[in-house]
Amino acid sequence: MMYVVFIMSVLYVVGFIGFSSKPSPVYGGMSLVVSGGLGCGIVMSSGGSFLGLVVFLVYLGGMMVVFGYTIAMATEEYPETWGSNVVVLSAFLVGLLMEVFMVMWLFSGEHELVGFYFSSLEGLMVLGEGGFEYVREDYSGGASLYSYGFWFLAMAGWMLFVSIFIAIEVTRKRY
Amino acid sequence: MPYIYMNIMLAFVISLVGTLMYRSHLMSSLLCLEGMMLSLFTLNALLSLNMNFTLSTTVPLILLVFAACEAAVGLALLVMISNTYGLDYVQNLNLLQC
Protein backbone atom coordinates (compact mmCIF):
# COMPACT_ATOMS: atom_id res chain seq x y z
CA MET A 1 0.00 0.00 0.00
CA MET A 2 2.94 2.34 0.24
CA TYR A 3 3.32 2.18 -3.54
CA VAL A 4 -0.22 3.36 -4.23
CA VAL A 5 0.87 6.89 -5.09
CA PHE A 6 3.52 5.57 -7.45
CA ILE A 7 0.95 3.33 -9.15
CA MET A 8 -1.35 6.34 -9.45
CA SER A 9 1.41 8.33 -11.13
CA VAL A 10 2.09 5.45 -13.56
CA LEU A 11 -1.60 5.32 -14.47
CA TYR A 12 -1.49 9.12 -14.85
CA VAL A 13 1.22 8.72 -17.48
CA VAL A 14 -0.76 5.94 -19.18
CA GLY A 15 -3.76 8.27 -19.39
CA PHE A 16 -1.55 10.94 -20.95
CA ILE A 17 -0.30 8.43 -23.52
CA GLY A 18 -3.94 7.59 -24.18
CA PHE A 19 -4.92 11.04 -25.41
CA SER A 20 -1.51 11.86 -26.83
CA SER A 21 -1.74 9.01 -29.33
CA LYS A 22 -4.57 11.02 -30.89
CA PRO A 23 -7.71 8.96 -31.11
CA SER A 24 -10.87 10.84 -31.92
CA PRO A 25 -11.26 13.79 -29.47
CA VAL A 26 -14.21 12.11 -27.74
CA TYR A 27 -11.93 9.41 -26.39
CA GLY A 28 -9.11 11.87 -25.81
CA GLY A 29 -11.34 13.94 -23.56
CA MET A 30 -12.31 10.85 -21.60
CA SER A 31 -8.65 9.95 -21.10
CA LEU A 32 -7.89 13.49 -19.94
CA VAL A 33 -10.71 13.27 -17.38
CA VAL A 34 -9.25 10.01 -16.03
CA SER A 35 -5.80 11.58 -15.82
CA GLY A 36 -7.25 14.61 -14.06
CA GLY A 37 -8.85 12.40 -11.43
CA LEU A 38 -5.59 10.52 -10.85
CA GLY A 39 -3.66 13.79 -10.67
CA CYS A 40 -6.10 14.95 -8.00
CA GLY A 41 -5.39 11.75 -6.09
CA ILE A 42 -1.63 12.32 -6.29
CA VAL A 43 -1.95 15.92 -5.08
CA MET A 44 -4.29 14.91 -2.27
CA SER A 45 -1.97 12.20 -1.01
CA SER A 46 0.62 14.92 -0.48
CA GLY A 47 -1.74 16.79 1.80
CA GLY A 48 -3.24 19.21 -0.68
CA SER A 49 -6.96 18.64 -0.39
CA PHE A 50 -7.84 22.19 -1.46
CA LEU A 51 -5.80 21.91 -4.63
CA GLY A 52 -7.35 18.51 -5.41
CA LEU A 53 -10.78 20.06 -5.06
CA VAL A 54 -9.70 22.87 -7.38
CA VAL A 55 -8.65 20.28 -9.98
CA PHE A 56 -12.01 18.58 -9.85
CA LEU A 57 -14.18 21.67 -9.72
CA VAL A 58 -12.38 24.12 -11.97
CA TYR A 59 -10.43 21.91 -14.32
CA LEU A 60 -12.65 18.86 -14.77
CA GLY A 61 -15.97 20.45 -13.93
CA GLY A 62 -15.38 23.72 -15.76
CA MET A 63 -12.92 23.35 -18.56
CA MET A 64 -13.52 19.75 -19.48
CA VAL A 65 -17.28 20.25 -19.65
CA VAL A 66 -16.76 23.10 -22.12
CA PHE A 67 -14.37 20.91 -24.08
CA GLY A 68 -16.93 18.12 -24.07
CA TYR A 69 -19.63 20.36 -25.52
CA THR A 70 -17.29 21.67 -28.22
CA ILE A 71 -16.20 18.13 -29.09
CA ALA A 72 -19.83 17.09 -29.39
CA MET A 73 -20.38 20.00 -31.75
CA ALA A 74 -17.38 19.38 -33.99
CA THR A 75 -17.12 15.61 -34.10
CA GLU A 76 -17.26 13.18 -36.98
CA GLU A 77 -19.70 10.44 -37.76
CA TYR A 78 -17.47 7.46 -37.00
CA PRO A 79 -14.98 8.38 -34.26
CA GLU A 80 -11.84 6.28 -34.22
CA THR A 81 -10.82 4.70 -30.96
CA TRP A 82 -7.55 3.10 -29.88
CA GLY A 83 -8.42 -0.28 -31.35
CA SER A 84 -9.86 0.78 -34.67
CA ASN A 85 -6.80 2.40 -36.19
CA VAL A 86 -3.37 0.81 -36.35
CA VAL A 87 -1.57 4.18 -36.12
CA VAL A 88 -3.28 5.13 -32.85
CA LEU A 89 -2.79 1.66 -31.42
CA SER A 90 0.89 1.53 -32.26
CA ALA A 91 1.50 5.00 -30.80
CA PHE A 92 -0.25 3.93 -27.62
CA LEU A 93 1.74 0.71 -27.40
CA VAL A 94 5.06 2.49 -28.01
CA GLY A 95 4.27 4.94 -25.22
CA LEU A 96 3.20 2.13 -22.91
CA LEU A 97 6.42 0.24 -23.65
CA MET A 98 8.46 3.34 -22.85
CA GLU A 99 6.69 3.73 -19.52
CA VAL A 100 7.24 0.06 -18.63
CA PHE A 101 10.94 0.39 -19.47
CA MET A 102 11.20 3.51 -17.32
CA VAL A 103 9.53 1.80 -14.34
CA MET A 104 11.82 -1.19 -14.71
CA TRP A 105 14.85 1.07 -14.90
CA LEU A 106 13.72 2.94 -11.80
CA PHE A 107 13.24 -0.21 -9.79
CA SER A 108 16.53 -1.78 -10.86
CA GLY A 109 18.50 0.95 -9.15
CA GLU A 110 18.60 1.40 -5.42
CA HIS A 111 16.31 -0.93 -3.60
CA GLU A 112 15.08 1.27 -0.81
CA LEU A 113 11.95 3.22 -1.51
CA VAL A 114 11.11 4.35 1.99
CA GLY A 115 11.92 7.99 2.28
CA PHE A 116 11.10 9.00 -1.25
CA TYR A 117 7.72 10.27 -0.33
CA PHE A 118 6.30 11.56 2.89
CA SER A 119 3.00 13.08 3.73
CA SER A 120 3.36 13.59 7.42
CA LEU A 121 1.83 15.71 10.06
CA GLU A 122 5.09 17.55 10.68
CA GLY A 123 4.51 19.50 7.52
CA LEU A 124 1.54 21.16 9.08
CA MET A 125 3.29 22.50 12.16
CA VAL A 126 4.85 25.92 12.38
CA LEU A 127 6.69 27.39 15.31
CA GLY A 128 4.73 30.33 16.59
CA GLU A 129 5.20 32.59 19.53
CA GLY A 130 3.34 30.53 22.08
CA GLY A 131 4.53 27.12 20.93
CA PHE A 132 3.37 25.00 18.00
CA GLU A 133 0.50 25.97 15.75
CA TYR A 134 -1.14 24.08 12.92
CA VAL A 135 -1.55 25.60 9.51
CA ARG A 136 -2.92 24.04 6.35
CA GLU A 137 -0.49 24.84 3.60
CA ASP A 138 -2.71 24.78 0.58
CA TYR A 139 -5.57 26.63 2.23
CA SER A 140 -3.24 29.34 3.42
CA GLY A 141 -1.79 29.55 -0.08
CA GLY A 142 -5.24 30.03 -1.53
CA ALA A 143 -5.98 32.64 1.11
CA SER A 144 -2.72 34.49 0.52
CA LEU A 145 -3.88 35.06 -3.05
CA TYR A 146 -6.15 37.71 -1.59
CA SER A 147 -3.64 39.31 0.79
CA TYR A 148 -0.04 39.03 -0.43
CA GLY A 149 -0.87 38.10 -3.97
CA PHE A 150 -3.37 40.85 -4.57
CA TRP A 151 -1.67 41.90 -7.79
CA PHE A 152 -1.88 38.30 -9.06
CA LEU A 153 -5.58 38.38 -8.30
CA ALA A 154 -6.10 41.69 -10.06
CA MET A 155 -4.21 40.59 -13.15
CA ALA A 156 -5.93 37.20 -13.31
CA GLY A 157 -9.36 38.77 -12.91
CA TRP A 158 -8.62 41.37 -15.58
CA MET A 159 -7.34 38.68 -17.93
CA LEU A 160 -10.49 36.61 -17.50
CA PHE A 161 -12.57 39.69 -18.18
CA VAL A 162 -10.65 40.55 -21.33
CA SER A 163 -10.75 36.97 -22.61
CA ILE A 164 -14.54 37.11 -22.67
CA PHE A 165 -14.32 40.01 -25.08
CA ILE A 166 -11.68 38.17 -27.08
CA ALA A 167 -13.93 35.12 -27.43
CA ILE A 168 -16.90 37.29 -28.44
CA GLU A 169 -14.83 39.13 -31.04
CA VAL A 170 -13.27 35.98 -32.50
CA THR A 171 -16.63 34.29 -32.95
CA ARG A 172 -18.28 37.25 -34.61
CA LYS A 173 -19.51 36.48 -38.12
CA ARG A 174 -18.00 38.55 -40.86
CA TYR A 175 -19.95 38.69 -44.05
CA MET B 1 15.06 12.50 -7.91
CA PRO B 2 11.77 11.23 -6.55
CA TYR B 3 9.98 8.87 -8.87
CA ILE B 4 6.68 10.67 -8.88
CA TYR B 5 8.21 13.92 -10.14
CA MET B 6 9.84 11.95 -12.93
CA ASN B 7 6.53 10.44 -13.95
CA ILE B 8 4.79 13.80 -14.03
CA MET B 9 7.57 15.45 -16.01
CA LEU B 10 7.41 12.51 -18.42
CA ALA B 11 3.67 13.14 -18.76
CA PHE B 12 4.44 16.77 -19.66
CA VAL B 13 6.90 15.69 -22.35
CA ILE B 14 4.39 13.18 -23.73
CA SER B 15 1.68 15.81 -24.14
CA LEU B 16 4.22 18.26 -25.58
CA VAL B 17 5.09 15.71 -28.25
CA GLY B 18 1.38 15.12 -28.79
CA THR B 19 0.77 18.84 -29.28
CA LEU B 20 3.51 19.17 -31.86
CA MET B 21 2.62 16.12 -33.96
CA TYR B 22 -0.94 16.62 -35.07
CA ARG B 23 -3.09 14.16 -36.97
CA SER B 24 -6.44 15.02 -38.48
CA HIS B 25 -8.24 16.96 -35.75
CA LEU B 26 -7.30 20.36 -34.35
CA MET B 27 -9.21 19.45 -31.20
CA SER B 28 -6.70 16.71 -30.34
CA SER B 29 -3.90 19.28 -30.25
CA LEU B 30 -5.98 21.49 -27.95
CA LEU B 31 -6.57 18.51 -25.68
CA CYS B 32 -2.82 17.81 -25.52
CA LEU B 33 -2.30 21.49 -24.64
CA GLU B 34 -4.74 21.03 -21.76
CA GLY B 35 -2.79 17.96 -20.74
CA MET B 36 0.36 20.05 -20.57
CA MET B 37 -1.41 22.51 -18.29
CA LEU B 38 -2.68 19.70 -16.06
CA SER B 39 0.77 18.18 -15.66
CA LEU B 40 2.24 21.61 -14.87
CA PHE B 41 -0.46 22.13 -12.25
CA THR B 42 0.21 18.75 -10.64
CA LEU B 43 3.96 19.30 -10.62
CA ASN B 44 3.63 22.79 -9.11
CA ALA B 45 1.21 21.59 -6.45
CA LEU B 46 3.40 18.63 -5.48
CA LEU B 47 6.57 20.69 -5.29
CA SER B 48 4.94 23.44 -3.24
CA LEU B 49 3.43 20.95 -0.82
CA ASN B 50 6.39 18.63 -0.42
CA MET B 51 9.00 21.32 0.04
CA ASN B 52 6.69 23.30 2.33
CA PHE B 53 6.81 26.47 0.23
CA THR B 54 3.54 27.64 1.66
CA LEU B 55 3.18 30.88 -0.24
CA SER B 56 3.86 29.27 -3.59
CA THR B 57 0.70 27.18 -3.38
CA THR B 58 -0.91 30.16 -5.10
CA VAL B 59 1.11 29.34 -8.23
CA PRO B 60 -1.06 26.36 -9.28
CA LEU B 61 -4.20 28.46 -8.88
CA ILE B 62 -2.83 31.28 -11.04
CA LEU B 63 -1.65 28.73 -13.61
CA LEU B 64 -5.13 27.27 -13.78
CA VAL B 65 -6.65 30.71 -14.41
CA PHE B 66 -4.25 31.35 -17.28
CA ALA B 67 -4.91 27.88 -18.69
CA ALA B 68 -8.65 28.56 -18.63
CA CYS B 69 -8.20 31.80 -20.62
CA GLU B 70 -6.01 30.01 -23.13
CA ALA B 71 -8.51 27.18 -23.53
CA ALA B 72 -11.29 29.71 -24.09
CA VAL B 73 -9.42 31.45 -26.90
CA GLY B 74 -8.42 28.11 -28.47
CA LEU B 75 -11.98 26.85 -28.37
CA ALA B 76 -13.30 30.08 -29.90
CA LEU B 77 -10.89 29.65 -32.81
CA LEU B 78 -11.91 26.03 -33.20
CA VAL B 79 -15.59 26.96 -33.23
CA MET B 80 -14.98 29.47 -36.02
CA ILE B 81 -13.02 26.91 -38.03
CA SER B 82 -15.75 24.35 -37.50
CA ASN B 83 -18.42 26.85 -38.59
CA THR B 84 -16.54 27.71 -41.76
CA TYR B 85 -15.43 24.26 -42.88
CA GLY B 86 -17.92 21.93 -41.20
CA LEU B 87 -15.25 19.96 -39.30
CA ASP B 88 -12.03 20.88 -37.53
CA TYR B 89 -9.71 18.97 -39.82
CA VAL B 90 -6.25 20.47 -40.03
CA GLN B 91 -6.03 19.85 -43.76
CA ASN B 92 -8.82 22.39 -44.26
CA LEU B 93 -6.54 25.21 -43.11
CA ASN B 94 -4.86 25.67 -46.49
CA LEU B 95 -5.52 29.29 -47.38
CA LEU B 96 -1.82 30.17 -47.13
CA GLN B 97 -0.25 27.91 -49.72
CA CYS B 98 3.47 28.31 -50.17
Side-chain angles (χ1 to χ4, degrees):
Chain A
M1 202 31 80
M2 86 176 159
Y3 294 108
V4 71
V5 188
F6 182 70
I7 292 173
M8 269 200 292
S9 71
V10 169
L11 291 176
Y12 181 82
V13 174
V14 167
F16 267 65
I17 295 169
F19 70 78
S20 199
S21 57
K22 306 274 178 31
S24 195
V26 183
Y27 300 104
M30 182 189 78
S31 183
L32 188 58
V33 166
V34 166
S35 280
L38 286 167
C40 166
I42 295 171
V43 166
M44 274 180 54
S45 70
S46 198
S49 49
F50 177 64
L51 288 173
L53 184 70
V54 161
V55 166
F56 258 109
L57 275 181
V58 173
Y59 192 83
L60 295 185
M63 291 160 62
M64 280 305 118
V65 164
V66 173
F67 264 86
Y69 277 122
T70 314
I71 287 170
M73 185 195 75
T75 188
E76 55 204 355
E77 196 177 358
Y78 296 106
E80 56 185 19
T81 173
W82 294 283
S84 71
N85 194 0
V86 72
V87 174
V88 177
L89 183 66
S90 59
F92 185 71
L93 286 178
V94 161
L96 207 60
L97 206 65
M98 173 206 63
E99 174 66 15
V100 164
F101 279 160
M102 200 198 82
V103 169
M104 278 169 41
W105 173 71
L106 280 179
F107 276 90
S108 75
E110 66 271 15
H111 289 283
E112 53 95 17
L113 278 173
V114 180
F116 79 95
Y117 197 70
F118 274 119
S119 75
S120 59
L121 206 53
E122 291 102 44
L124 297 179
M125 285 167 54
V126 294
L127 192 55
E129 294 94 27
F132 290 101
E133 304 173 340
Y134 285 96
V135 71
R136 290 299 309 235
E137 290 180 342
D138 48 350
Y139 288 91
S140 66
S144 74
L145 183 64
Y146 293 88
S147 62
Y148 298 111
F150 170 72
W151 191 240
F152 279 128
L153 183 71
M155 281 297 107
W158 182 252
M159 227 181 62
L160 283 172
F161 182 65
V162 169
S163 70
I164 291 180
F165 287 102
I166 292 175
I168 287 177
E169 192 59 39
V170 164
T171 55
R172 185 190 296 266
K173 282 195 180 298
R174 304 184 168 279
Y175 287 135
Chain B
M1 167 75 76
Y3 299 155
I4 296 176
Y5 299 153
M6 249 199 260
N7 265 330
I8 298 178
M9 285 193 274
L10 186 66
F12 175 77
V13 170
I14 286 170
S15 358
L16 177 68
V17 168
T19 312
L20 297 176
M21 306 198 310
Y22 49 85
R23 279 183 71 227
S24 43
H25 280 277
L26 188 68
M27 191 70 193
S28 310
S29 296
L30 285 184
L31 276 176
C32 287
L33 204 63
E34 286 310 305
M36 281 164 65
M37 290 297 139
L38 176 68
S39 71
L40 280 178
F41 177 91
T42 312
L43 194 62
N44 259 321
L46 277 182
L47 285 174
S48 304
L49 287 168
N50 278 341
M51 297 191 190
N52 295 324
F53 288 162
T54 311
L55 266 186
S56 72
T57 44
T58 30
V59 172
L61 295 178
I62 304 289
L63 184 68
L64 211 58
V65 170
F66 288 173
C69 293
E70 165 194 340
V73 174
L75 283 179
L77 289 172
L78 187 123
V79 159
M80 282 313 285
I81 289 173
S82 175
N83 278 349
T84 313
Y85 294 105
L87 279 173
D88 59 337
Y89 283 158
V90 179
Q91 65 204 19
N92 287 333
L93 309 173
N94 53 3
L95 285 179
L96 289 176
Q97 295 180 4
C98 303

